[in-house]
Amino acid sequence: MTSVVTAGGISVTIRGPVVDEGETVLDRLVSDGVPGSLASRNAKLWGPDAAPLAARSLGWLGLPETSRSLAARLAGPAAEAREAGLDRVVLAGAGGPALATEAVCRTAGAELTVLDTTDPHEVSGVLAAGLERTLVVVTGDGLEAESLRRVFAGAFSEAGVTGGALARRFVVVADAGSSLEGAAREAGHHVVQAEPDVGGRFGALGVRALVPAALAGVDVNALLDEASRLAGTLRQPYDNPALALGAALGSSALAHRDKLVIADHGSGLAGFAGWAEQLVAGATGKQGKGLLPVVVEGVDSPGFELTGELRRVILGRRPDEPGPGREAGLSVAGPLGAQFLLWEYATAVAARVIGVDPFSEPDAGQSAAATAALLRSEEGAAPTVVRTPPALVSGAVEVHAPDDLLRGAGNLADAVDALIEAVPERGYLAVLAYLDRSGDAGAADLRALLAARAAKLRKRPAPVTFGWGPRHLHATGQFHKGGPPNGAFLQITGAVTADVPVPGRPHTLGELQLAQAFGDLRVLRSLPRPAARLHLLDRGEGIAQLRDALG
């Protein structure tokens, strides 16, 4: 059985048992008046306890129209940047807006460098490539953004950029009345005020995401036009693709198919799956519930095989068309602006079905608190990370894990196999790589290798996710701590050969990154979750050794 819902430039195809499951949930949503209530920004849709936060978080529904003033607001900074020859935009930010910006610019073919990392190797590479023509957009005051702002300010000063010229090298997006806004205005930076009623996860069409994209040369009004065409359908009880997708996602969770395995198959939306991953995981993963997105490399990749706990999702070709993946449960096609709004609406609907508040992040701050404790920044002291001896050393890889997890493993392959075997029933394995997304890009290949190995070792495959650290803290981090307690974690850190000081702070980027990794690992083990850390004494050799051990 196949159902196709098409409107507003979006096509959602639902096939197989999920058709009946989704229609049952859809009928209940319609009888409860959810389409009209959500479009009218009814904050009570997720229960009385969630209402106060929801009332301050539903501005994303109006962004297809309210964000149209952005081009005029950026006219001055854009003109100054052109006159100064600043044609290279670097985004210092984190979370959903940064991932949305990356998807927008990659899809449009616009040059943009997203830095949501504290890895000194990655940051050093960006600093060394065209600093003289760089404009930095800061989109928040989180740990990563604040550290990067300081690093870039120091680098500009060392390069002889001072005074007003230095001030014009930054565009800052900040909440009105925040300390970041005050500091930015005092420094003479261009400031764009963020919407007061839009959170990061649901802000793909807001200023935090669109300011850097617009400065990079993207026609953001075209993106908003795409979203506006879908916005006109959101009140409809039927022929509403966003409601249909939300019902299908929610019914999947109710049917215990709580892993959404997402594969792109010709969508043309580069980087979109990563943005959708952070949205769905962060909005639904709490109170021991949630949907875990598992982004795979393609429809033929290890981990896309259908099992009883998975719901397969294709971005692109419909499953009833010829080609790989035609038996997937869901597929979605349409332009990027509409897709952003579609998935935000559908995720909010799915959260209601699951019974969680989509806007809260009750567990996301645990890792940040652990990191702060390690940094001891309030005392002005260096980080207090305590390095313990490894349980096993194999070539360029140290293995750090409890003895009861390793179970006497004598080599690297055995150690990884022990962690795979420790994945709980109906659970998953998450790879958390605190490395350089560019220089250590080969680490991403580990996801498919681990998925294939897990399928051989276990009677049923274990879904394997991959996330770069500390990016994943703002993406799937909430799910890992607050979702179903069935995850196992393989953290990877790497030796630093050239560190970067953080001006005005007692720590370097390398020390900060290690504190973030240790803080996150400390929280995961306290929950408790099975977790091992692999430390690469040489990054290139270590990654190659891991691939050989798994291949």
Side-chain angles (χ1 to χ4, degrees), residues 225-244:
D225 287 342
E226 296 166 356
S228 292
R229 284 192 286 274
L230 179 68
T233 72
L234 298 184
R235 287 185 176 273
Q236 299 172 183
Y238 298 103
D239 296 325
N240 180 339
L243 187 67

Side-chain angles (χ1 to χ4, degrees), residues 26 28 127 169 220 256 340 350 397 426 443 461 472:
L26 180 65
R28 187 169 73 247
L127 290 171
R169 288 297 188 103
V220 297
H256 304 293
F340 281 141
V397 182
R426 300 184 65 84
H472 75 85

Side-chain angles (χ1 to χ4, degrees), residues 106 240 529:
R106 287 183 59 190
N240 180 339
R529 307 278 195 270

Side-chain angles (χ1 to χ4, degrees), residues 4 48 141 243 248 291 326 340 350 378 390 420 422 546:
V4 182
D141 56 357
L243 187 67
L291 290 164
R326 57 185 176 273
F340 281 141
E378 72 280 4
I420 291 174
L546 272 168

Side-chain angles (χ1 to χ4, degrees), residues 288-373:
K289 309 173 186 177
L291 290 164
L292 175 69
V294 181
V295 178
V296 301
E297 299 75 18
V299 295
D300 296 320
S301 299
F304 198 65
E305 305 88 355
L306 187 61
T307 70
E309 65 199 84
L310 304 182
R311 177 69 69 210
R312 299 196 294 186
V313 182
I314 286 180
L315 300 175
R317 183 182 296 175
R318 287 180 3 203
D320 57 339
E321 295 175 344
R326 57 185 176 273
E327 296 182 0
L330 297 167
S331 71
V332 184
L336 182 59
Q339 291 264 22
F340 281 141
L341 184 59
L342 171 88
W343 282 85
E344 287 170 344
Y345 183 104
T347 300
V349 168
R352 174 185 165 89
V353 174
I354 295 169
V356 296
D357 174 2
F359 309 112
S360 69
E361 296 184 325
D363 308 287
Q366 295 182 51
S367 293
T371 298

Side-chain angles (χ1 to χ4, degrees), residues 525-548:
R525 286 177 173 168
S526 72
L527 288 174
R529 307 278 195 270
R533 181 173 72 95
L534 303 183
H535 183 68
L536 311 183
L537 301 172
D538 180 285
R539 294 186 181 205
E541 289 183 17
I543 292 170
Q545 190 179 336
L546 272 168
R547 293 172 65 170
D548 289 344

